[in-house]
Amino acid sequence: MSNTLVAEDTRKEARTAAWVAAIACTALIFDGYDLTIYGTVLTTLMNDPSQIGQLTPAVAGTLGSYALMGVLVGALTCGAVGDYFGRRRLILIGIAWFSIGMFFTALSTSVFAFGALRFLTGIGLGAILATAGATIAEFAPAGRRNFYNAIVYSGIPAGGVLAAFLGILLLEPIGWRGLFMIGALPIVFLLPIALFKLPESPRWLLSRGRRAEAEAIAARTGVPLVEEVIMQRTGAVKEKTGFAAVFSSQFRTGAILLGFMSFSGLLLTYGLNTWLPKIMEGYGYGKTYSLTFLLVLNSGAVIGGMLASKLADRSGPQRIVATTFVLAAITLALMTFAFPLPVLFIFIAIAGVGTLGTQVLIYGFTSNYYTTNARAAGVAWGSGFGRLGGIFGPLIGGWLLAANLGGATAFYIFGAVALFGALVTILVPRQRTVEQAKAKAEEILETQDIPASATDIPVTDRV
């Protein structure tokens, strides 16, 4: 290929990756919004039984877990079908589903209806979570995949920032129902954009044997397919697809450990986003300060997660994730001491990097750990199994408050979970098969002069 054509393909790839990242990130902003908005309005719901009924701390913790149970169902279901039915279709369905769910949740008038609708909304959120990482991993330019994953999954803590900020500004004037209505807006603006601007992954199409479609979209978007061709030639891509591939001998050990990494990260994420305002009220801070702590926690996650992703692209995500987990454990322990408020804010911001920010890196680590035939299922397994941790996070906080145990106990428990996350991260085996395939790929590129575009590969050599 001429340098001009290569440069044009590079520009097309960058534009496509930017659109995919923007759509996926915006969808996950509303996942993060849903995650945090419950913690934002929880004090209001507990203090006013006329809203949806009487809420004890234990019931409130259980309600906080219902959406996560739905996410677990949605993620695992979409993981089972995502590598068969494609990325684009599931993202579109997920956006519509969770938007409608948020709308009807805002209308609920009983604890039962609120919990049921939180569960149903979670199914749509799970579909997005299971698919967004697999999608951006197949559109992101080589060498920047951790960074693009961080952009996409930073949408979750960014949504937390949005929820905390809007909670501070709008909880009094529009109430908790109005805040939930805001979560339904993606069906109005994001779904139409995604319909026109989100392409199907050409790498997924190629893995399904749909060569003509893959080549047409690759030519239009600039996404190179040569890596997939080489992986097929060198035997790195197996015939198994979906969960069968995830739990094959190639990925099994790593998949289990990645699942526990996500379990730890999401327990910390959901536990803190649900209970941090209430815990800090126990330390004597009023409602406005308590919501500000959520704002600081999620802001730290966004900024720190983006910076850490740059380091992950340079030195690999494994070491960085283990380090941020340890940072979380240290800062959570320090938050039990009576430091001045500015110092406390710094600790909470660092804790945000080590909890929510770490989970952003885990999604990137997981997305790039698997080959195309296993990617959607692998991401779904990590986020789905991880949601068990997300379910336990709010429950642990509720149990501790119901037992009249102080916030220090919660912080120490969360810190221990962070140390466990660091340990399992260190134990994840490197994906040797993929690394060997890439080494072989370099040899093939040097000796056979394989072009950078799948459309330039001779028909007899195409997958």
Side-chain angles (χ1 to χ4, degrees), residues 37-48:
I37 200 65
Y38 178 66
T40 302
V41 306
L42 180 57
T43 299
T44 298
L45 295 178
M46 292 182 71
N47 292 341
D48 186 359

Side-chain angles (χ1 to χ4, degrees), residues 305-361:
M306 294 297 293
L307 293 175
S309 72
K310 288 281 193 181
L311 296 175
D313 273 326
R314 293 176 185 173
S315 59
Q318 193 164 7
R319 186 183 309 167
I320 305 303
V321 170
T323 301
T324 54
F325 264 134
V326 172
L327 277 177
I330 294 171
T331 51
L332 286 167
L334 289 173
M335 284 164 60
T336 63
F337 295 94
F339 286 103
L341 190 60
V343 177
L344 188 58
F345 279 144
I346 292 172
F347 288 157
I348 290 175
I350 297 173
V353 179
T355 54
L356 287 80
T358 295
Q359 187 59 35
V360 168
L361 296 176

Side-chain angles (χ1 to χ4, degrees), residues 31 34 62-78 97 115-129 270 383-384 387-388 391:
D31 178 288
D34 176 86
T62 302
L63 278 182
S65 296
Y66 282 170
L68 310 184
M69 295 176 188
V71 170
L72 173 63
V73 172
L76 293 179
T77 300
C78 291
W97 188 301
L117 287 165
R118 292 284 289 160
F119 174 81
L120 292 173
T121 302
I123 294 175
L125 296 171
I128 298 294
L129 275 170
Y270 282 83
S383 60
R387 292 296 146 160
L388 293 175
I391 291 167

Side-chain angles (χ1 to χ4, degrees), residues 109-360:
T109 57
S110 69
V111 171
F112 175 80
F114 185 88
L117 287 165
R118 292 284 289 160
F119 174 81
L120 292 173
T121 302
I123 294 175
L125 296 171
I128 298 294
L129 275 170
T131 314
T135 303
I136 194 61
E138 291 167 9
F139 281 100
R144 303 190 70 197
R145 288 176 180 171
N146 283 292
F147 178 67
Y148 271 87
N149 266 282
I151 291 175
V152 169
Y153 281 104
S154 287
I156 297 174
V161 172
L162 179 65
F165 182 70
L166 293 181
I168 293 170
L169 292 180
L170 301 178
L171 181 57
E172 293 298 330
I174 69 174
W176 73 269
R177 297 184 191 278
L179 291 173
F180 270 80
M181 285 288 185
I182 290 173
L185 291 177
I187 200 171
V188 176
F189 74 94
L190 183 60
L191 185 61
I193 293 173
L195 280 168
F196 287 99
K197 288 294 187 179
L198 182 66
E200 183 55 271
S201 164
R203 290 172 174 168
W204 174 80
L205 290 168
L206 189 63
S207 75
R208 302 301 295 167
R210 295 160 64 176
R211 292 195 303 267
E213 294 173 75
E215 291 170 1
I217 293 178
R220 189 173 76 247
T221 62
V223 175
L225 294 178
V226 66
E227 181 179 340
E228 277 62 35
V229 174
I230 294 170
M231 300 289 269
Q232 290 278 0
R233 287 181 177 180
T234 56
V237 176
K238 309 297 184 184
E239 292 182 358
K240 293 180 179 178
T241 301
F243 287 120
V246 170
F247 293 102
S248 66
S249 58
Q250 181 181 359
F251 295 118
R252 186 183 303 118
T253 301
I256 293 170
L257 291 169
L258 286 165
F260 278 108
M261 284 170 58
S262 188
F263 176 94
S264 304
L266 287 169
L267 189 153
L268 297 170
T269 295
Y270 282 83
L272 287 173
N273 268 292
T274 299
W275 288 111
L276 184 61
K278 197 71 176 176
I279 290 172
M280 299 314 292
E281 280 189 24
Y283 280 100
Y285 297 98
K287 181 186 293 185
T288 300
Y289 269 126
S290 297
L291 294 179
T292 303
F293 289 132
L294 275 185
L295 187 64
V296 172
L297 181 79
N298 286 279
S299 298
V302 173
I303 297 169
M306 294 297 293
L307 293 175
S309 72
K310 288 281 193 181
L311 296 175
D313 273 326
R314 293 176 185 173
S315 59
Q318 193 164 7
R319 186 183 309 167
I320 305 303
V321 170
T323 301
T324 54
F325 264 134
V326 172
L327 277 177
I330 294 171
T331 51
L332 286 167
L334 289 173
M335 284 164 60
T336 63
F337 295 94
F339 286 103
L341 190 60
V343 177
L344 188 58
F345 279 144
I346 292 172
F347 288 157
I348 290 175
I350 297 173
V353 179
T355 54
L356 287 80
T358 295
Q359 187 59 35
V360 168

Side-chain angles (χ1 to χ4, degrees), residues 397-421:
W399 292 335
L400 292 173
L401 286 181
N404 292 319
L405 294 175
T409 304
F411 285 139
Y412 286 134
I413 290 175
F414 290 146
V417 171
L419 290 177
F420 173 76

